[in-house]
Amino acid sequence: MSTNSTLINFVNTIDTSSLVDKVEKEIINLFISQGLKIGDALPKELELAETLGVSRTVIREAMSRLRLVGLIESKKHRGAVLTSPDLISPMKKSLYPTIMDDKTLRDLFEMRLILELGMADLLYQRITPEDIQELEAIVSKESTDLDNSIFDIEIEVAFHGKLYEISGNIMLKDFQNLLLPVFKFVHSSGMLIEKSNSKNFISHRGLVDILKVGTPEVFRNAMRQHLDNHFQRIQQYDSTIVD
């Protein structure tokens, strides 16, 4: 193949990609302008091609992208319909802790800490006696002699996972499951191994006791103290980066 032919093919590839990007946005705008709702059947590919003035190949590629992010799905006897997108699913496909840099891993870990500080009001609104019993069963397996700078990761995951479940927020629960591999990797990677002895530390048992009789504000402060070791480790890790 000649150099000119190769260049032409390369340019055509760029142009096609740019056109699909544009058409993808135009299709979404078209759905919005038509007032389509979740569950509504979508126009056929041929109709979309005629409306937008592009080939069916371009429409097909754009629609494939929308399926990939969960905006549309195919229904038997109905064709393509508009759906509520699964925002977490696309992230799962690209989240591989072992090939992320330390900055990204740390940012994700910090996000997890921030989320847990903001859960208090939902927990008090939705927690049940059965939830308390499950939390007590989890902390009963935790050693009372455990150094507050170290923790059992299995109990940590089970306890905080239960809190996400109690929140009743499906997005939070899915996000917790998404972050679980990151959470485990950060702790096994040596990023946060610095020993930290927080004077404000509150154990999982202490958090359960506060959930029984406390208030959202008291629990929020207690959770901040419970996570204090993690925040201190992050600060120590940051200082090593600066140094």
Side-chain angles (χ1 to χ4, degrees), residues 3 12 16 19 21 68 75 77 91-92 107 118 153 159 163 181-182 193 202 204 207 220-221 227 238:
T3 302
N12 286 339
T16 300
L19 179 58
D21 290 339
L68 189 62
K75 294 285 188 180
H77 305 308
M91 294 181 63
K92 291 179 182 177
D107 286 349
I153 191 167
F159 183 87
L163 294 185
V182 174
I193 60 174
I202 291 182
H204 291 131
L207 290 176
R220 194 163 20 251
N221 291 332
L227 298 174
D238 286 346

Side-chain angles (χ1 to χ4, degrees), residues 146-163:
L146 198 64
D147 187 320
N148 68 17
S149 68
I150 306 171
F151 58 86
D152 184 312
I153 191 167
E154 296 303 323
I155 292 178
E156 177 89 347
V157 168
F159 183 87
H160 291 271
K162 180 59 184 176
L163 294 185

Side-chain angles (χ1 to χ4, degrees), residues 23 27 45 48-49 52 54-63:
V23 169
I27 289 175
E45 288 182 1
L48 288 172
L52 299 178
V54 296
S55 70
R56 291 185 66 178
T57 300
V58 172
I59 293 295
R60 193 171 294 117
E61 174 63 25
M63 294 289 279

Side-chain angles (χ1 to χ4, degrees), residues 5 27 55 112 122 128 162 180 220 228:
S5 297
I27 289 175
S55 70
R112 172 247 170 171
L122 291 180
T128 67
K162 180 59 184 176
L180 190 56
R220 194 163 20 251
D228 192 49

Side-chain angles (χ1 to χ4, degrees), residues 175-238:
F175 201 73
Q176 192 262 351
N177 290 331
L178 177 70
L179 291 182
L180 190 56
V182 174
F183 177 43
K184 289 184 175 180
F185 181 80
V186 166
H187 283 276
S188 64
S189 67
M191 289 178 60
L192 300 174
I193 60 174
E194 293 293 333
K195 186 178 179 63
S196 178
N197 291 304
S198 170
K199 297 179 180 179
N200 300 319
F201 180 76
I202 291 182
S203 68
H204 291 131
R205 295 173 186 273
L207 290 176
V208 175
D209 290 338
I210 292 171
L211 274 173
K212 292 178 182 178
V213 298
T215 65
E217 186 61 29
V218 172
F219 184 82
R220 194 163 20 251
N221 291 332
M223 179 60 79
R224 176 60 182 84
Q225 291 175 272
H226 172 71
L227 298 174
D228 192 49
N229 280 321
H230 293 327
F231 280 106
Q232 286 193 24
R233 287 187 179 97
I234 288 173
Q235 291 171 1
Q236 291 167 352
Y237 179 75
D238 286 346

Side-chain angles (χ1 to χ4, degrees), residues 94-106:
S94 61
L95 203 154
Y96 295 96
T98 55
I99 58 175
M100 290 181 177
D101 59 29
D102 286 357
K103 176 65 165 59
T104 301
L105 287 168
R106 188 193 61 187

